[in-house]
Amino acid sequence: MLRGGLQNRLARSIEGEVLFDAFSRGRYATDASLYQIMPAGVVVAKTEGDIARALDAAREAGVPLTMRGGGTSQCGQTVNSGLIVDCSRYLNKLVELDVEGRRALVQPGIVLDDLNRLLKAHGLWFPIDISTGSRATIGGMVGNNSCGSRSLRYGTTRDNVDRVRGLLVDGSAFDFGPGSGNDVPEVLLRQLLDLGAREADEIARRFPKVQRRVGGYNIDALVPGEPPVNLAHLLIGSEGTLAISTEIEIRLSPLPGPDKVLAVCHFPTFRAAMEAAQHIVALGPTSVELVDATMLGLARSIPMYVKTLEAFVQGDPAALLFVEFADSDAQNRANVARLHDTMSDLGFGFGRGGAHEGGVVEVWDGALAAEIGELRKAGLNIMMSMKEAGKPVSFVEDCAVPLEHLADYTDRLTEVFHAHGTEGTWYAHASEGCLHVRPVLNLKLEKDVKAMRAIAEEAFALVRAYKGSHSGEHGDGIVRSEFHAAMFGPRIVQAFEEVKDAFDSEGLLNPGKIVRPPKMDDRSLMRYPPGYAFEDLDTAHDWSAWTGAGGGFQGAVEMCNNNGACRKMAGGAMCPSYRVTRDERDVTRGRANTLRLALSGKLGRDALYDDAMAETLKLCVSCKACKRECPTGVDMAKMKTEVLYQRGKKLGFGRRERLIAHLPRYARAGGALRAAIALRNRVPGIAALGERITGFARGRSLPQFAPDPFRDAEIEQEAARGRKGGHEVVLFADTFSRWLEPAIPRAALRVLRRAGYRVRAPEAPGGRALCCGRTYLAAGMVDEARAEARRTIDALMPHIRAGRSVLGLEPSCLLTLRDEFLTLLPGEDARALSENARLFEEFVAQERKAGGFRLPLSRDAEKAYVHGHCHQKAFGVMSDMEAALGALPGLDASVIESGCCGMAGAFGYAAETQEVSRAMGELSLLPAVRAAEGDALIVANGTSCRHQIADGTGRRALHIAEIFDRASRTGGASKTGGGALPGSVSSEGAQ
């Protein structure tokens, strides 16, 4: 009744969204910590007035209120049982910018990386470069007093914030700034200043003398002296327990110059790296970051990091220290020389062997250094990519100790882990003595929860012995707050409580954090509480690489640790629907959380089959960007297929899903459908009727079947025209190229023949063309997809055994052979096919690198703009696309910085998703194509990508095989190529 009344009140007064359904509340029940608390409701605030009205409603209802930004907190700061207010969707503006004064006024929901992109044009940045900068908000960073890898030079958030404006718990406005700039009720101000004067000596005695102290309240900011008291600094690190910020004034720094160098120091033992840190810091670097052997091993198993690792890791080090210098070029070179001398003085050198094996690898290439930086930033989540039931758990993660004690501290902490039967993973800020360490535990087990408690008590005792801080970066939250008494003593804790009560005597603002906390090992507050169980589905895919119910499906779903990397708005391709809607429902972690909650019984009976689950998955375009870019490898595209399969078994499949799924079977009748489709595309009334019957949007033209579809017999005919012998390959003509755009396989066939290859055709059983099953997978008809996979494997295996590569043209189809086939039909045959299936551009690039593919090519165009298909990006083959195009003489090929095109197979044709589809295209791809020179080539290997480009810009995009065909012709090459505007109705993911 209370929740219902609160919901009704908010629904009448809030301009943003008011979310009180179980599915929405569940998506806000977790952050990146081990905790989970179902809130009463969620407000997605659109204006400052929404925050004020939510605060008034919560206060009058006696319901706690917790502010939330990116939801990436490690310690449970942003979960609570009351009202959650999300600022990240709307309250994310740069309000004012003073370039000359290097100041900015921002709303709390602005994301760090988004802010820095705006500042870059002015040569400025906010220099707290935390690893979660692609999704962490400035408000959240203020709440946590975030630090970042370069805090050695730039300090913490506290050192870079001057003013905070917002609301006190009674709804009155405040403005906290330096000295007399504090606009606050006189009674509150006097109480705080008196506390600072009274406790000055105790603060000096008990607060750790390390920069990385972010535990408790910053009551040292209340001590009289120089600089003058700034109450804004009291709010920093207060985790939303004292007041609510609505505007934050930050200090900016000049962007570091282009002269930077990264030196990677290799060590034979972990302790050697820890002992060396203090000597390296003395050289004046901007940062010194640690990566241990465990992280290196895990990173090698993640495709997107393999090439980067090969570029800078020498041998098999036990630990690396990434040392950055960012001074002038001459200074950097002198610093690196001194670093070499330091490493040599410490006894390390490459080739020395044993305890002396090590040295420095210099990285002067800025692009490689950036890639290494991204790998380091992903460290926390790379550690979480372990597929076993035990995971590295964050609870003693960011303790900070003086550098001279770092080696002894890490040795003794390792002994603590061993005493409790576990190991720890290590990485992060060696420069500050703040290492992110996570012991591996399975928190579904009571014994491991007890071990967590014991490790925490022993670890924090070590930190105190070394006069360090038990909270060095990630704050207190639920996990560390109860240990303040041991760290600071009872008098300081009483002062913390006095501060809390002065601001919020009723305990409405994010209660249970910093003061009066619950026990950190209270399992009722955890993601895996007592009695946690997961529905044991009879799954369609093989999930045995993971553990748990559903043949491992449970473990795959639980890989999402809520780190929020999928919430980034730029770079990579994940998550395209979220970039349009900015709705937590439409991001990979929102879907994964919902799925886990549904299958563990937290969203009601049969939640998997609820319409709310269908809505949760509706905007997933199966782009597979998450498979590559999620640091823990969450493959939402495959999970969606599994869920659609389960729903289909119980509820049946809809008309549109069946039309999509069976396209390969009825495509042979495409000629008879041509006239009907053409009429439907021309007559609005027929299109509208079709939308009501099939669900395909009236505003989208459906693609035409070709009058002359591609036949496998053409392969043998073309082969007969070429010379005998030569390297043999198999051309796998997919459904979309075969029936809709036959000019593409014909172009590929001609190019391969001209390059001296003998092309073979697979012998399809029953005379029906082979199919990857992608359309069936998109609809959730996994059994039918498995049957197609069986036919395809049986037909192609004789060629694989004969040593022939299988070449494909449509990324979503060919790469299905490399991905889903492995879980549809696990075994040696599927693995062999996966290892020998290549996209056309991969084959060209690899053959050229090996000295093959000798084909005379002529200049056909000067400029090309290349859009990468999502699956090309997900499987890391865009570099082959670029390398292949590099073979074309005089062609300047630029890759468009784009995510998903938005068509995504049938997604763009569906009436209910067509507008989101167009919005995805308008994020970057379509504007870039419109801006391209009129005589430039537009290159896109995906069928749906080409249709989206044609539909949104009127320009024809070409497949790379068509580009090579034109460039390798003898005689006059057409500047436009043949065929009508391309397009296809294909599966979700067949973009």
Side-chain angles (χ1 to χ4, degrees), residues 485-741:
M487 172 59 65
F488 297 106
R491 182 167 172 176
I492 292 293
V493 169
Q494 184 176 347
F496 289 164
E497 292 176 354
E498 187 177 336
V499 169
K500 171 67 172 175
D501 293 342
F503 279 93
D504 178 24
S505 60
E506 299 299 319
L508 290 175
L509 296 179
N510 205 18
K513 319 296 160 52
I514 301 181
V515 299
R516 305 183 185 102
K519 292 292 185 182
M520 60 89 73
D521 55 336
D522 182 347
R523 291 192 68 194
S524 69
L525 304 178
M526 293 185 184
R527 196 175 297 186
Y528 308 122
Y532 177 84
F534 198 92
E535 189 173 342
D536 196 11
L537 301 172
D538 181 14
T539 51
H541 283 286
D542 175 22
W543 299 96
S544 60
W546 294 269
T547 62
F553 186 50
Q554 173 182 359
V557 172
E558 291 172 354
M559 287 301 293
C560 178
N561 68 348
N562 235 39
N563 67 78
C566 42
R567 285 172 60 98
K568 62 186 177 183
M569 293 297 291
M574 178 176 70
C575 177
S577 51
Y578 174 76
R579 292 185 180 188
V580 169
T581 69
R582 299 192 74 144
D583 190 324
E584 183 70 19
R585 180 195 62 190
D586 301 323
V587 72
T588 302
R589 78 169 184 189
R591 298 178 184 118
N593 274 327
T594 304
L595 190 52
R596 175 178 53 80
L597 290 164
L599 289 171
S600 59
K602 300 300 181 184
L603 300 180
R605 187 175 180 181
D606 288 337
L608 187 67
Y609 313 105
D610 195 289
D611 288 346
M613 177 59 73
E615 285 295 307
T616 300
L617 295 177
K618 183 172 73 176
L619 297 188
C620 171
V621 295
S622 299
C623 67
K624 288 189 175 289
C626 52
K627 177 182 173 70
R628 179 175 177 82
E629 296 177 27
C630 171
T632 59
V634 172
D635 187 350
M636 185 49 59
K638 193 172 292 183
M639 291 179 189
K640 179 180 180 179
T641 300
E642 186 68 62
V643 173
L644 293 177
Y645 169 77
Q646 301 295 336
R647 288 175 57 85
K649 282 199 306 181
K650 185 177 181 69
L651 305 175
F653 297 98
R655 182 182 292 113
R656 185 174 64 206
E657 285 65 37
R658 294 195 299 272
L659 278 170
I660 293 166
H662 294 299
L663 171 64
R665 290 184 175 270
Y666 66 75
R668 284 179 291 183
L673 296 173
R674 281 181 55 77
I677 292 174
L679 187 64
R680 179 264 182 206
N681 287 346
R682 287 198 307 269
V683 181
I686 297 176
L689 177 62
E691 180 179 305
R692 288 197 295 272
I693 296 172
T694 66
F696 292 122
R698 69 185 75 183
R700 286 282 197 186
S701 62
L702 296 180
Q704 281 281 21
F705 289 93
D708 57 341
F710 181 79
R711 308 288 181 184
D712 284 341
E714 298 178 44
I715 298 176
E716 299 301 335
Q717 293 167 6
E718 185 73 20
R721 297 171 54 191
R723 64 177 183 267
K724 303 300 180 183
H727 183 56
E728 293 190 344
V729 296
V730 179
L731 182 61
F732 176 74
D734 59 273
T735 296
F736 313 112
S737 299
R738 180 184 300 276
W739 302 108
L740 302 171
E741 299 180 81

Side-chain angles (χ1 to χ4, degrees), residues 934-968:
D935 59 350
L937 299 176
I938 307 298
V939 186
N941 278 14
T943 300
S944 292
C945 303
R946 293 189 293 273
H947 196 136
Q948 179 80 315
I949 290 168
D951 202 49
T953 70
R955 296 195 62 168
R956 182 173 190 259
L958 298 173
H959 190 282
I960 190 173
E962 296 178 286
I963 305 290
F964 269 83
D965 184 33
R966 291 166 46 159
S968 60

Side-chain angles (χ1 to χ4, degrees), residues 734 736 808-814 839 869 941-943 946 990-991:
D734 59 273
F736 313 112
L809 302 167
E810 170 62 36
S812 62
C813 294
L814 187 282
L839 284 167
H869 184 286
N941 278 14
T943 300
R946 293 189 293 273
Q991 300 163 55

Side-chain angles (χ1 to χ4, degrees), residues 118-119 180 290 316 322 365 376 407 415 424 478 490 653 936 948:
L118 295 174
L119 297 174
S180 60
L290 166 75
D316 189 24
F322 296 150
D365 178 4
R376 206 290 305 164
E415 291 172 4
I478 299 171
F653 297 98
Q948 179 80 315

Side-chain angles (χ1 to χ4, degrees), residues 209-245:
K209 305 300 188 293
V210 292
Q211 185 189 54
R212 291 299 189 101
R213 180 203 62 75
V214 299
Y217 291 129
N218 289 328
I219 57 174
D220 56 325
L222 302 175
V223 174
E226 291 294 334
V229 169
N230 183 346
L231 292 186
H233 291 176
L234 177 64
L235 294 188
I236 296 170
S238 66
E239 301 182 0
T241 61
L242 301 181
I244 296 171
S245 65

